[in-house]
Amino acid sequence: MADTEKEKNLKDSYNDLKNQRESMKSFAMSILGEQEKSIITSAKNAGVEVYFMQIGENNFIYRQILRGEYKKLTLDQARIAAQLSKEAEDEVTARVEMQIRSEEELVLKCLLYPVYDLLSIKELPAGYIQTLNEAIMSVSGFNNEPVMIKL
């Protein structure tokens, strides 16, 4: 295959992906209510990258976590973990409790809509917080495979 044909195929693939993303964005915006759209507009006006996810029939709007926020959250959680280790019956229980708390704290910090607190998230289906946590971590650069190009 000639270089020009490869370049054309790459450009076509890129444009297809770009069009697919625009279609998904249009779909997401079409199913959101005015309150959600207002939250998105406010966040974007403040320079925040905003993401949408639908889990089951529920819409979620979230943002990435910034390095400074992540560092503070991690250090705060380390302090709590030290205290939990002293109070817990065993180390495994303390680690599990800390993992759950870490996920919940990160989601509460980055979830723009709907708004939950530590009590209300306990009423959500079990996997929602873990799924949202993974999505937030992903858009924040965690667990992403870097693309390395030798020049």
Side-chain angles (χ1 to χ4, degrees):
M1 190 182 297
D3 281 346
T4 55
E5 189 175 338
K6 285 181 185 178
E7 289 173 3
K8 182 187 178 314
N9 288 340
L10 282 173
K11 286 179 184 177
D12 289 345
S13 294
Y14 172 78
N15 287 331
D16 288 346
L17 182 59
K18 190 175 172 182
N19 290 337
Q20 184 181 20
R21 286 186 176 171
E22 284 302 315
S23 293
M24 291 170 65
K25 182 178 174 180
S26 294
F27 167 74
M29 293 303 287
S30 74
I31 64 172
L32 295 175
E34 290 306 313
Q35 181 182 11
E36 293 102 320
K37 289 177 183 177
S38 175
I39 290 167
I40 292 168
T41 301
S42 295
K44 289 175 103 177
N45 287 342
V48 175
E49 289 185 16
V50 181
Y51 299 87
F52 167 81
M53 178 189 299
Q54 192 171 49
I55 306 174
E57 297 294 318
N58 299 298
N59 297 329
F60 296 93
I61 301 167
Y62 59 97
R63 65 174 181 87
Q64 58 190 193
I65 189 162
L66 302 176
R67 183 66 188 170
E69 293 173 314
Y70 181 76
K71 183 177 178 180
K72 182 181 179 334
L73 189 62
T74 302
L75 290 172
D76 290 347
Q77 290 169 350
R79 289 182 197 98
I80 294 169
Q83 186 64 33
L84 280 175
S85 291
K86 292 177 188 174
E87 297 171 1
E89 294 178 24
D90 61 73
E91 191 64 31
V92 174
T93 302
R95 276 190 297 225
V96 170
E97 177 66 25
M98 201 58 237
Q99 176 63 34
I100 291 168
R101 281 189 184 194
S102 295
E103 289 176 353
E104 291 173 348
E105 291 288 335
L106 184 119
V107 169
L108 290 175
K109 180 164 219 41
C110 296
L111 189 63
L112 302 175
Y113 178 87
V115 177
Y116 291 104
D117 59 25
L118 281 172
L119 291 175
S120 60
I121 61 172
K122 295 184 184 339
E123 301 301 318
L124 290 172
Y128 279 33
I129 297 301
Q130 183 177 0
T131 300
L132 286 162
N133 180 71
E134 290 170 2
I136 292 165
M137 295 294 283
S138 180
V139 300
S140 300
F142 292 89
N143 304 321
N144 289 335
E145 291 292 323
V147 177
M148 296 170 275
I149 301 170
K150 183 178 179 181
L151 302 175

